[in-house]
Amino acid sequence: MSISDSDSSSNGDYRNFRQITRDRLLYEMLRSTREKETKTSWKVLIMDKLTVKVMSYACKMSDITEEGVSLVEDINKRRQPMPLMDAIYFLQPTKENVVMFLSDMSGRSPLYKRAFVFFSSPISRELVNQIKNAGTVFPRIGALVEMNLEYFAIDSQGFLTDHERALEDLFGDNAEILQANDAYIYTMAARIATVFASLREFPYVRFRAAKSSLDASTMITYNDLIPTKLAAAVWHYLARYKATIPDFPKIETCELLIVDRSVDLIAPIIHEWTYDAMCHDLLSMDGNKYVQEVPNKTGSISERKEVLLEDHDPIWLELRHSHIADASERLHLKTISFISRNKAAQIHHRSRFVGELSTKDLQKMVQALPQYSEQIDKLSLHVEIAGKINKVIRDLGLKELGQLEQALVFGDVGTKELINFLRTKQDVNPENKLRLLWIYAALYPEKFESEKGEKLMELARLSSDDTTAIYNMRYLRLPERKKISRGFPLKFDVHKKRHAARKERNDEQESWQLARFYPIILDLIEKLTMGCLPENEYHCMNYPSSSVYGTPIRTPPRLSVRTAHGENPQSVRSKLTATWARPRSTDDGYSSDPILGHASGDLRKMGQRIFVFIIGGATRSELRAAHKLSSKLKREIILGSTSLDDPGQFIMKLKKLSTEDISLDDLQI
């Protein structure tokens, strides 16, 4: 027995990114421990704090049980000995975990009969030798495998590396003196690399270049070098995979673009008007968990019920990227259609106005009840959510605020209109004023280097904490070449040319108000696909030779938007064809295909994947852009980040950039 890497198996069926992750965990890991010659015997699954999240994002408990797991345990907690059962360990390859594992399986009375050990990322030679040299443990090991899967598959096209504090730790006041930051970046890189190990992809590693590399007069800062450092670390791990994993591609099969939060300072703050974004922005949700109030059996008291807004809900899948007005309208039409087509729903609807039901009506309702109950619950849930969102929009006056936000971003209005809004709308809540001024500061940073910014914040009556958040933008702004004179007058020049952070997209046909905004990564991905990403601003770790194509940033023929006949002889996409598709829907709002089921023939003919990783947190608008561009470009776009932040979370992180205390242990002496 030796350390081996899980081979990626596929039957040629369509699978998206999250499905591939799920299949590897369930089939390559759990199912591989079954004895072929005997019936399924129950096993114990033991994980650490990170790997249990990796598993929970990709698999349900019922999936795990179907693979013969009867009990899930935490390696850091005391466990009951089960000497007649085998154990499956899914762990990070840390010294602490290896010590705990050896303690479980050593001596005359091990906790389990045999151990199948799977590590989430590459294990060091030192720890391998420690396991091999454990005399009583080694014979009890049924498998010792590097799974190389250490990320959270939060979406069919999204993943996280579980670095919630990346913004504070890498961009804050103390970033340059924290001893652990290089190790932090290497851990992040190792987890990103496991995405490519799982999908058997070898990317061109592109990254936002440091400004100091473009202009010698620009001061070098730690923040500016972070994408470069991460790209180098990712490249290190990919080179290792290329040398050690037998079926890992030897030539480039996809694209990876690494940027940081500084690339777009507006997307995390602006009000995004899609159903998904507004649920998380305006409602008090814990992650994807929504608390619904439903009447009890007597109908007199409301009970609180927790529901998850995730892929298993077909209405959520259909509406999550829709404008809130569109989602509300479609929910109304679905409800009318459902009632007109469903007998039980008609009876229930009529009883609200007529009174008591007849015996015949009750019989009909009971006959239709099982299907009726499940479907009406889903519909009523989303009708309730949309109703709450629309009420908040009205109560907070978000429509007018949203119009001003987007008008600022597109350069339609400027300082004069902002001042007028702040003077006349004193009842706007403090967080929304902060978000509005943050957008303005991103457009006119020079205003906040003088008394002008202070006067605006006084006019908005921002608290000291909120003022700190605005000023902390300096940690995320890239160093610029000296081109701005500091000798501007103290009086506002309201007639000065307005700044525009976005250009109108002529290809967009949006029929809803407040749907103009788009995140910068949408432009970057399109430029990357067309081969016109600015080569001086975005460097590549593995520059292709000029014999293949002209410039280092140009996309070679084998990375074109579409491949002939949907085939790609130089990529493993022929084995792991994965893409995202919006499910076909029936009139009552339920998918006519199984959730996350097989793709149509056209969607099997996708070009090569594009991965984008954002250091410092991604937004829901950026995840939506990945879905949208996948359909448009016929290439699967996968968005990765250190975290997925809603505006409130991003604001809290901003306030911590300059207020974190450090201890002597953090200093490198």
Side-chain angles (χ1 to χ4, degrees), residues 100-278:
M100 290 293 292
F101 160 68
L102 293 176
S103 174
D104 287 353
M105 299 302 298
S106 62
R108 295 183 178 180
S109 303
L111 290 186
Y112 311 104
K113 182 180 178 182
R114 283 188 307 169
F116 298 86
V117 186
F118 299 86
F119 291 112
S120 56
S121 56
I123 184 171
S124 68
R125 188 178 299 274
E126 177 188 355
L127 292 179
V128 172
N129 290 334
Q130 188 176 345
I131 294 172
K132 287 184 176 181
N133 294 333
T136 59
V137 175
F138 195 68
R140 296 169 180 158
I141 297 177
L144 196 60
V145 177
E146 286 179 344
M147 275 296 290
N148 294 318
L149 201 162
E150 198 172 284
Y151 55 85
F152 300 165
I154 61 166
D155 184 84
S156 60
Q157 289 178 226
F159 71 92
L160 301 179
T161 59
D162 192 35
H163 291 94
E164 281 288 338
R165 286 183 51 85
L167 197 72
E168 303 99 293
D169 291 343
L170 296 178
F171 295 90
D173 247 344
N174 307 316
E176 295 191 39
I177 58 175
L178 288 178
Q179 182 177 0
N181 270 355
D182 283 346
Y184 194 90
I185 288 174
Y186 261 86
T187 302
M188 192 185 301
R191 292 178 183 172
I192 294 170
T194 66
V195 172
F196 297 96
S198 280
L199 300 180
R200 293 299 190 268
E201 295 273 23
F202 180 41
Y204 287 103
V205 182
R206 307 191 190 278
F207 58 96
R208 179 192 59 73
K211 291 289 185 181
S212 56
S213 68
L214 309 179
D215 185 353
S217 66
T218 303
M219 183 179 66
I220 299 175
T221 64
Y222 179 83
N223 299 9
D224 195 24
L225 292 171
I226 290 172
T228 306
K229 285 174 171 275
L230 182 61
V234 169
W235 179 254
H236 166 79
Y237 284 105
L238 291 173
R240 176 175 176 174
Y241 286 146
K242 189 176 178 182
T244 58
I245 299 179
D247 61 343
F248 197 78
K250 303 304 179 186
I251 60 174
E252 291 82 356
T253 61
C254 62
E255 297 273 5
L256 166 63
L257 176 63
I258 297 175
V259 297
D260 59 26
R261 193 60 272 166
S262 68
V263 77
D264 189 350
L265 296 177
I266 295 175
I269 286 292
I270 195 169
H271 284 88
E272 167 77 2
W273 289 77
T274 58
Y275 187 47
D276 179 11
M278 293 220 126

Side-chain angles (χ1 to χ4, degrees), residues 17-55:
F17 169 67
R18 185 188 245 171
Q19 282 180 309
I20 292 171
T21 303
R22 173 184 178 273
D23 290 354
R24 292 200 66 220
L25 291 169
L26 294 180
Y27 308 142
E28 292 185 29
M29 187 173 76
L30 299 185
R31 188 172 293 183
S32 68
T33 64
R34 291 182 180 181
E35 296 289 348
K36 294 180 180 179
E37 64 277 5
T38 61
K39 291 183 178 180
T40 302
S41 57
W42 293 109
K43 292 182 176 65
V44 182
L45 176 60
I46 301 156
M47 296 180 282
D48 57 37
K49 289 183 178 180
L50 181 84
T51 55
V52 74
K53 289 183 179 180
V54 171
M55 182 69 76

Side-chain angles (χ1 to χ4, degrees), residues 10 12 566-569 571-577:
S10 174
E567 296 177 357
N568 186 2
S571 171
V572 294
R573 290 304 295 273
S574 56
K575 291 184 178 180
L576 299 177
T577 305

Side-chain angles (χ1 to χ4, degrees), residues 343-352 357 361 364-365:
K343 292 181 180 179
Q346 291 173 15
I347 296 167
H348 176 73
H349 184 70
R350 188 167 66 247
S351 69
R352 295 172 58 187
L357 295 173
D361 284 342
K364 291 179 180 178
M365 192 168 183

